[in-house]
């Protein structure tokens, strides 16, 4: 997707503080962090949202969760962390490339806003 912000981060057309990368995923620091640790975990493949994923994406979606586990461990988030995706405008999605927020390093409340 040539006009997608996060695809441009994957292809290094736009700079980001990348903390992890493998064949399927990239993880980078959120530009407007909401917690001491706030990174975005994205597939390299363009998917607009979780709702736009297919059954064939099961392996990829599972992989993203395992990346979240790994990054949480590497950042020492032993007291807890949150992994969330905002799906659609009504949920606050502002970038139409699937991303999971990984947040940690502070106490969190529920329900979210
Ligand atoms: P959403 O609102 O779609 O759930 O999350 C999008 C996230 O992307 C926001 O937390 C926002 O701060 C982050 N973001 C938007 N533009 C950029 C950017 O150019 N670079 C980085 N690193 N994060 C961005
Ligand atoms: Zn994209």
């Amino acid at each position: 997707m040539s006009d997608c912000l996060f695809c441009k981060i994957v292809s290094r057309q736009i700079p980001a503080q990348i903390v992890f990368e493998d064949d399927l995923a990239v993880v980078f620091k959120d530009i407007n962090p909401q917690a001491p640790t706030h990174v975005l975990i994205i597939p390299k493949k363009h998917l607009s949202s979780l709702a736009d994923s297919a059954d064939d994406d099961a392996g990829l979606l599972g992989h993203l969760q395992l990346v979240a586990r790994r990054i949480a461990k590497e950042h020492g988030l032993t007291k807890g962390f949150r992994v969330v995706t905002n799906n659609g405008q009504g949920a606050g999605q502002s970038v139409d490339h699937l991303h999971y927020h990984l947040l940690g390093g502070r106490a969190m409340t529920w329900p979210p806003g």
Side-chain angles (χ1 to χ4, degrees), residues 5-6 9 14-16 28-32 38 40 86 92-95 99 101:
L5 176 66
F6 287 176
I9 286 177
I14 290 177
F28 54 94
K29 294 186 180 179
D30 195 292
I31 204 167
N32 183 24
H38 185 180
L40 301 174
N86 296 320
Q93 183 175 3
S94 61
V95 178
H99 50 281
H101 298 258

Side-chain angles (χ1 to χ4, degrees), residues 1 3-8 10 42-48 95-98:
M1 285 277 288
D3 61 345
C4 170
L5 176 66
F6 287 176
C7 282
K8 287 179 178 173
V10 171
I42 70 170
K44 286 186 168 177
K45 165 184 165 179
H46 180 87
L47 287 172
S48 295
V95 178
D96 288 336
H97 180 127
L98 175 63

Side-chain angles (χ1 to χ4, degrees), residues 25-87:
V26 175
V27 183
F28 54 94
K29 294 186 180 179
D30 195 292
I31 204 167
N32 183 24
Q34 301 301 312
T37 294
H38 185 180
V39 298
L40 301 174
I41 301 164
I42 70 170
K44 286 186 168 177
K45 165 184 165 179
H46 180 87
L47 287 172
S48 295
S49 69
L50 184 58
D52 287 316
S53 65
D55 290 353
D56 281 352
D57 294 315
L60 175 61
L61 297 175
H63 181 73
L64 296 175
Q65 291 214 54
L66 296 180
V67 170
R69 180 187 70 181
R70 173 182 174 149
I71 301 299
K73 188 173 184 184
E74 287 179 0
H75 282 72
L77 303 180
T78 54
K79 290 186 176 174
F81 60 88
R82 185 170 291 173
V83 178
V84 62
T85 188
N86 296 320
N87 189 105

